[in-house]
Amino acid sequence: MGYFDVPDRSYTRYSNRQLAAVPLAVLAVALLVLTGTFLMTGAPVPLGMDFAGGSELTIQTTSSQEEIANAFDEEPESIQSVSAPDSQNQYVIQFTSTDLESLSQQAEQNLEQDGDADIVQLQSTVSGSFGKQTQRTALLGVAVAFVGMSVITFLLFRTFVPSIAIVLSAFSDLVIPLAFMTVADISLSLGTVAALLMLIGYSVDSDILLNNHILRRQGDFYESTHRAMRTGITMTVTSMAAMLVMGIAAGLFGVELLSSIGIVLFVGLAADLMNTYMLNLSLLRWYKFEGVRS
């Protein structure tokens, strides 16, 4: 017999407090990380060029990365090698400065040219004020999506405990990846904001699936849990595998944005497994066996 053939094998061993303790402790640590980072730097997570402003140069040069870093008066925020067959010796360099003309001149004067190609091949800049406006718009989008999800959840279930369980799980699914981004030094950009929006959708899918099976379908609590887990875990683990492959492959080819999106989604989906089948489930079990009678 497989593990899923005996759905209550593990859950009956632990009380609701024990099941909820682990995800709540992880959430508390994540909030501490974000709060500490905000107090030290003024932002809970590192801000990418989309939000902080700055300049980006894409150059083709035979110089090493160390020589590239020393070629500019300002220390680059990041230097990424572009690993593609048609872009050998290309690097994407980001700066906090928006003086693109000066940076381009320094690149042309201090870096060795690769064949007949121009040293500066692509350049872009984002002003600080525009970055702050973009940041406000992106965060407003995340907030509106979260609030909208919460309202729809309460309208669907019309009871406090099952609804708040979904909202709390979704909140944790956002906070934990944000804390991971801080620890792993992954910048918040338009791409990673899109990943956070996707996580809201993933979280709601798995939590509503669990709540529907337990609250609205026939069968005892553990049979309903078994059916929901069989579908939900398969769905989430498959998505995790896809995101991990994307993150690793994009990292190997030097596509930093796709790599960041894949890793953030992988961490968020792993958090969703924990929050759905420990935190949400413990609240639902309390509601079914104790909350309804109280």
Side-chain angles (χ1 to χ4, degrees):
M1 296 176 65
Y3 177 82
F4 285 118
D5 293 327
V6 189
D8 59 341
R9 176 185 293 177
S10 294
Y11 282 112
T12 54
R13 300 176 185 175
Y14 304 102
S15 67
N16 294 325
R17 289 184 179 180
Q18 289 174 321
L19 282 177
V22 174
L24 289 177
V26 175
L27 175 60
V29 171
L31 288 171
L32 285 175
V33 169
L34 295 176
T35 302
T37 305
F38 177 78
L39 293 175
M40 290 187 294
T41 65
V45 293
L47 298 178
M49 195 178 76
D50 292 334
F51 297 146
S55 301
E56 181 180 279
L57 301 178
T58 299
I59 65 172
Q60 185 163 319
T61 176
T62 55
S63 302
S64 65
Q65 290 199 24
E66 182 178 357
E67 291 172 331
I68 293 173
N70 295 329
F72 299 93
D73 296 337
E74 174 189 347
E75 182 179 356
E77 282 291 299
S78 67
I79 303 174
Q80 295 290 328
S81 175
V82 180
S83 302
D86 59 345
S87 59
Q88 294 181 358
N89 300 326
Q90 280 197 9
Y91 299 88
V92 176
I93 313 170
Q94 291 187 344
F95 303 86
T96 56
S97 171
T98 56
D99 188 357
L100 193 57
E101 182 178 355
S102 175
L103 293 171
S104 299
Q105 291 176 353
Q106 293 170 39
E108 292 173 353
Q109 293 171 0
N110 301 326
L111 294 176
E112 296 181 7
Q113 199 165 341
D114 183 12
D116 296 328
D118 293 333
I119 290 181
V120 180
Q121 296 208 335
L122 176 66
Q123 51 196 30
S124 61
T125 184
V126 176
S127 68
S129 59
F130 182 78
K132 290 180 180 179
Q133 179 62 41
T134 305
Q135 178 184 348
R136 287 193 292 267
T137 303
L139 295 180
L140 177 62
V142 174
V144 169
F146 188 85
V147 171
M149 175 275 299
S150 303
V151 171
I152 291 174
T153 298
F154 276 93
L155 291 176
L156 281 174
F157 292 99
R158 300 180 185 275
T159 47
F160 181 76
V161 173
S163 300
I164 202 66
I166 293 176
V167 174
L168 182 58
S169 293
F171 176 74
S172 184
D173 288 348
L174 289 178
V175 171
I176 292 173
L178 284 172
F180 173 81
M181 289 170 62
T182 300
V183 174
D185 197 26
I186 297 175
S187 298
L188 185 68
S189 64
L190 290 175
T192 49
V193 166
L196 296 175
L197 289 171
M198 292 172 66
L199 282 175
I200 295 177
Y202 277 119
S203 175
V204 171
D205 281 346
S206 57
D207 287 316
I208 288 181
L209 175 70
L210 179 65
N211 283 28
N212 269 328
H213 274 78
I214 291 177
L215 300 177
R216 295 180 174 176
R217 296 196 179 185
Q218 295 181 346
D220 69 14
F221 181 86
Y222 292 107
E223 289 177 353
S224 300
T225 300
H226 164 57
R227 291 195 300 267
M229 288 181 67
R230 186 166 53 187
T231 302
I233 290 180
T234 301
M235 176 179 67
T236 303
V237 170
T238 302
S239 299
M240 287 176 64
M243 293 304 106
L244 183 61
V245 170
M246 184 183 80
I248 294 175
L252 292 176
F253 283 97
V255 187
E256 184 180 6
L257 178 59
L258 281 180
S259 178
S260 298
I261 292 174
I263 297 302
V264 168
L265 283 172
F266 175 82
V267 173
L269 289 169
D272 183 52
L273 279 178
M274 174 184 67
N275 290 318
T276 300
Y277 301 109
M278 294 181 73
L279 179 59
N280 190 1
L281 186 63
S282 65
L283 291 173
L284 287 175
R285 189 169 67 174
W286 176 85
Y287 173 77
K288 287 282 287 185
F289 296 117
E290 300 179 32
V292 173
R293 296 195 299 268
S294 60

